[in-house]
Structure formats: C-alpha cells, structure tokens
Amino acid sequence: KTLDNTPTISGTAPPGAKVDVVINGKTYSTTADPNGQYAINVPDALPDGTYTPEIRVTPPGGNTTSTDGTPFTIDTTPPTIVVTSSATTLSEGQTTTITFKLSEASTDFTQDDVAVTGGTLSNWVKVNATEYTATFTPTAGTQGTATVHVASNKFADAAGNTNQDGTDTAVDNTNIVNLTINTLPPSTTT
C-alpha cells in the first residue's frame, strides 16, 4: 500500500526501447536508458484502489510485448477510531472494559497512543487487526469525570496515513469516552 497517488512505475527493458505504461485507462510513455532502466512518474492523481499496470515494451526494430506490472494499492484515506466503554459510571472498586475499534488495521497502534485522565488502563489486548480492549480503573479517592481519548496523528495504517480523529474532546466525539467516577469512601461522598 502507498499513500502516493502519483506513483513512479519503474523497471528494465532493452536499452532504447519505447516503454508504455497503461494504468487507469491512460497511457504514459518513456524510453529505456542505455542501461535498460526506465521510470515513469504518473502525473495524474489516481483514486484509491488497487492497480495492475500494463507494461508495453517495443525494442528498437522489434515487436511490442505486453506484461502485467506489479500490482499496488493506493490508500489516501486516514484511519479513524471509535472508543467505547462497557459502563459510564464507576464507583469505588469498579472497573470497565474500554474497546478501541479502528476503521482499518494499524501498523503501530499501542496503549501509549491513549490519553487517560482520572484513572489507568491495564490488561491491553489486541483482539484482532482492528480491535483492542483494555481495563479502565478509576483513581481511588476521587470524584468527577475521567476520560479515555485517542487524539489525531497517534497511529497509522499500512499506507502510512495517520488517524484524523480531531482534537476536540466534546462528549459526542467517537474518539473519547467520558466516565463519571466516584471512588470516595461512602462517608465522604459529596
């Protein structure tokens, strides 16, 4: 995968051969250099998708041959995340499971990408390529709101796009969970 939607197609051909690359219905041409190397920069932005370029080579004075090039996938869509909790209110001695669902597999999403206030995360588990869970434990002796939040630019997909979930921490955002906590002993609850 690549996030470059104007890729360079390169390879080898007989020196001086005309090389045509057909991709997404368009033909791009060049001539192989004296060492038999060629490179064609695709100037038109290709939409996200998987491509197999057709390579047509015509050596000087020879017949044209056609082969398939190496398939590649263009992915310019950033991944996103949805953070949920199995509970929204926690008292002393209680925990909740936090679930992190990514829109696509990440190459580098870890617990370190998660910002937590009012408690801690433990038992980090990668359920599958797009889902993770952890246990949230509120800080003892406190009352108020705890948050579990994943900001933008914390993890990437296989193409190198970083997540773009926004920096807003409003309650209606999907990249944050707000929890009401009251871990004060019963005699001191206000």
Side-chain angles (χ1 to χ4, degrees):
K1 285 189 171 184
T2 180
L3 57 83
D4 180 1
N5 63 356
T6 57
T8 298
I9 310 296
S10 60
T12 59
K18 178 183 179 207
V19 179
D20 294 320
V21 173
V22 181
I23 191 164
N24 202 34
K26 292 189 177 181
T27 301
Y28 306 95
S29 301
T30 192
T31 302
D33 69 19
N35 296 318
Q37 303 292 312
Y38 70 87
I40 296 175
N41 295 318
V42 177
D44 303 309
L46 297 171
D48 284 9
T50 300
Y51 298 90
T52 302
E54 178 187 356
I55 314 295
R56 297 177 188 159
V57 176
T58 308
N63 295 324
T64 301
T65 59
S66 179
T67 58
D68 286 340
T70 302
F72 62 93
T73 300
I74 293 177
D75 174 6
T76 60
T77 304
T80 58
I81 190 167
V82 174
V83 183
T84 59
S85 174
S86 61
T88 57
T89 302
L90 298 173
S91 299
E92 184 176 13
Q94 294 181 320
T95 62
T96 186
T97 299
I98 306 293
T99 302
F100 305 88
K101 290 189 179 182
L102 285 61
S103 61
E104 58 184 297
S106 170
T107 57
D108 59 356
F109 182 61
T110 68
Q111 184 174 338
D112 291 339
D113 297 326
V114 182
V116 179
T117 63
T120 59
L121 289 181
S122 60
N123 304 319
W124 183 262
V125 175
K126 180 178 181 178
V127 177
N128 57 50
T130 59
E131 185 174 346
Y132 300 76
T133 61
T135 302
F136 175 83
T137 304
T139 303
T142 62
Q143 183 178 22
T145 301
T147 61
V148 180
H149 176 241
V150 179
S152 292
N153 301 312
K154 288 296 183 179
F155 63 91
D157 63 14
N161 299 298
T162 58
N163 71 304
Q164 298 301 309
D165 290 289
T167 56
D168 184 17
T169 56
V171 72
D172 59 345
N173 279 0
T174 60
N175 61 323
I176 187 170
V177 167
N178 290 304
L179 304 163
T180 301
I181 60 170
N182 183 353
T183 59
L184 294 173
S187 62
T188 60
T189 301
T190 58

